[in-house]
Structures are given as structure tokens and as C-alpha cells.
Amino acid sequence: MKDKVVIITGASSGIGKALAFEMGARGAIVVIAARSRDKLAEIETELNMKGITTLAVTTDVSVEEDCRNLIDSAVEKFGRIDILINNAGISMRALFEDTDLKVIRHLMNVNFWGTVYCTKFALPYLLKTRGTLAGVSSIAGFKGLPGRTGYTASKFAMQGFLETLRIENMKKGLHVLIACPAFTSSNIRKTALAADGSQQGESPRNEEHLMKAEVVAVKIANAIKKRQKILVISLEGKLIVLLNKLFPFFMDRMVYNSMAKEPDSPIK
């Protein structure tokens, strides 16, 4: 990672923030992007104090011009892009029949279109460096999660998009990584949207028992180094993916029962 220019979206908290410190610790030049200017400034200061060369660019990935500006700013400052990690994301928790369509639209705009926009503008530079295009997806990109229709749909779309880009560019040296953590201790559940588009506020899961963002960051960094194509993080996730291929209808029931056990679950 020495002197590689790495762009990380959704870098103000959770996995994105952990990735910024992990990649920086490995010698990378880190470009961090998120909507919160104040949080980015704090993280930029922390990274600089550790001797990590950093550029913070305030970015709403659901806005095409923000994504263009992010890529242009990185290239203007450092002259190249070696790695783009599409990490910015938002979740939801509600039955589809109760959900306002604006919620689904917003999740697609952030999770899917945010990946498309950033990738579109970064791709010419990644092809020049034979670099890495990564997307932080989810087990929801392999198996539909009841009560999270918009989230699941956006992750299926994201993975299909990235997989297609891998195939299109397989003779051009582009490395494409789809990273799928299991439930991770991060801010995404607290900011998840309810049926009316308001923030959920509290996590339905015990965060202490979830995988730590720093652990996920290490695994993703290692996968980038090894140029892996797919990274399913956690034994639980690997079992879900495998069993869903072998016994899909059995897994429908298992996933339904698991999600129904969450506190205040919309699944009955």
C-alpha cells in the first residue's frame, strides 16, 4: 500500500473510518469522503497526527457532481488513483408494504448510485494504474433480508454492477473486490431509516456482540493486497451464502425466523 492513493467514501464513521486508519497505517495516501465536513476535519487531523498524508473532501455520494468533484480533487492533488473503496451506505428497517417509496429511492441513490457515480469518474484512472475497485456490500447482497427490502435491493444491484465491471475489464488489469461483512458494530443501524424515512435512532442488535469495524478493515485491506474477488467476512456469512446455494427455501425460513427475533421487529 506504500504511497498508493486510496479514496474511501463513507469515511466519517464505522468501517470507512477504520479503513482510513488501516490503509494509512500501511503507507497509503488517504482521501476521505463523507457528508459531514466537521467529522471529516476531525478525522483528517487525527490521520495527519499519525503522519498519514490525507485529503478530506465533503461528499454526498447520492449527488453526481459531488462524486465528480471527489475524484477530480484526488487527481488534482495526487495525480493518480490506485484504489477506490465504495463504502458509503445507509440501511432501513420496515416492511415494504408500510414503507414510503422515498425510503427505497434514497437507499438506491446512496448505496447503488453512489457506487456508480464514483466508479464512473474514477474508472479511467484505475485502469491506468491497474488498480482496485472495491465495494463494501453485505450478506444482504446474497440473501434477501425481510424488513430491509430497500437495503437488500441496493446491495444486490451494487454486487451485480461490480461483478459486471470485473468481467468487462478482466483483460485490462482492473481488480474488483466485493466485500461482504456480517453485522458490524457501526453507525449504520442507528441511522437506518424507518418506514416514513425518519432515522431509527437505536440499534436493534447488541453492538457488543457484533464484529468490530477495525477487524473488518484489516480483512478488507488484506483482500485488496491479495486482489481477492469476493470477501465474505465471518463464518456466519459464509454459511448463509453456502446454504442458500444448496437449500434456498430452507434458508428463507431460517432468515425469516432470525430477523423476527430482533427487538421490535416488523417481522411477525
Side-chain angles (χ1 to χ4, degrees):
M1 299 298 174
K2 181 66 175 174
D3 295 328
K4 299 286 188 182
V5 178
V6 182
I7 299 177
I8 305 168
T9 66
S12 61
S13 64
I15 295 173
K17 179 180 177 180
L19 275 167
F21 282 92
E22 181 62 30
M23 300 299 274
R26 297 184 184 213
I29 296 167
V30 179
V31 181
I32 53 175
R35 290 179 301 166
S36 174
R37 184 186 302 272
D38 292 341
K39 289 182 179 179
L40 280 182
E42 291 178 8
I43 296 169
E44 183 179 28
T45 299
E46 292 178 34
L47 289 166
N48 287 336
M49 289 177 64
K50 291 181 176 291
I52 299 169
T53 302
T54 310
L55 173 66
V57 184
T58 306
T59 307
D60 181 343
V61 296
S62 68
V63 178
E64 181 178 342
E65 285 307 308
D66 274 21
C67 297
R68 186 193 299 272
N69 177 64
L70 169 62
I71 302 306
D72 287 348
S73 297
V75 173
E76 182 179 352
K77 180 75 172 179
F78 302 115
R80 58 186 288 145
I81 300 172
D82 296 284
I83 301 169
L84 168 63
I85 304 177
N86 290 291
N87 168 73
I90 191 169
S91 189
M92 63 162 290
R93 188 169 180 254
L95 292 178
F96 177 69
E97 64 181 294
D98 300 326
T99 302
D100 192 308
L101 287 176
K102 68 181 181 183
V103 174
I104 308 294
R105 190 173 297 112
H106 184 50
L107 264 78
M108 291 300 294
N109 284 340
V110 174
N111 298 355
F112 174 66
W113 281 109
T115 297
V116 171
Y117 293 149
C118 289
T119 300
K120 178 64 174 178
F121 301 124
L123 186 58
Y125 304 103
L126 293 173
L127 290 175
K128 285 181 182 179
T129 58
R130 301 174 71 87
T132 292
L133 168 62
V136 179
S137 185
S138 166
I139 297 304
F142 289 101
K143 184 67 181 177
L145 300 183
R148 291 170 171 83
T149 47
Y151 182 72
T152 296
S154 68
K155 293 302 186 181
F156 264 77
M158 180 190 194
Q159 290 189 199
F161 170 69
L162 292 173
E163 183 175 292
T164 304
L165 278 183
R166 177 192 296 127
I167 297 169
E168 283 185 355
N169 295 284
M170 63 187 303
K171 294 184 178 181
K172 298 179 182 179
L174 179 70
H175 169 228
V176 179
L177 169 67
I178 298 172
C180 300
F183 285 107
T184 304
S185 181
S186 71
N187 199 46
I188 192 169
R189 272 169 303 285
K190 295 180 182 179
T191 59
L193 304 183
D196 61 357
S198 61
Q199 287 192 350
Q200 174 178 271
E202 294 295 330
S203 172
R205 291 177 175 263
N206 188 336
E207 299 284 315
E208 293 182 357
H209 296 157
L210 304 183
M211 185 171 290
K212 300 302 181 184
E214 292 77 12
V215 174
V216 174
V218 170
K219 292 181 179 296
I220 291 175
N222 288 342
I224 290 173
K225 180 181 178 181
K226 296 175 183 177
R227 296 178 79 85
Q228 285 181 235
K229 295 179 180 179
I230 297 176
L231 172 67
V232 178
I233 304 172
S234 84
L235 178 60
E236 177 189 21
K238 292 175 182 177
L239 284 173
I240 290 173
V241 173
L242 175 62
L243 292 175
N244 191 55
K245 290 180 180 178
L246 300 174
F247 311 107
F249 301 117
F250 167 75
M251 286 305 297
D252 285 353
R253 293 192 296 272
M254 291 294 292
V255 170
Y256 182 98
N257 292 334
S258 176
M259 303 307 283
K261 291 177 182 179
E262 287 186 342
D264 301 318
S265 174
I267 311 301
K268 303 301 180 185

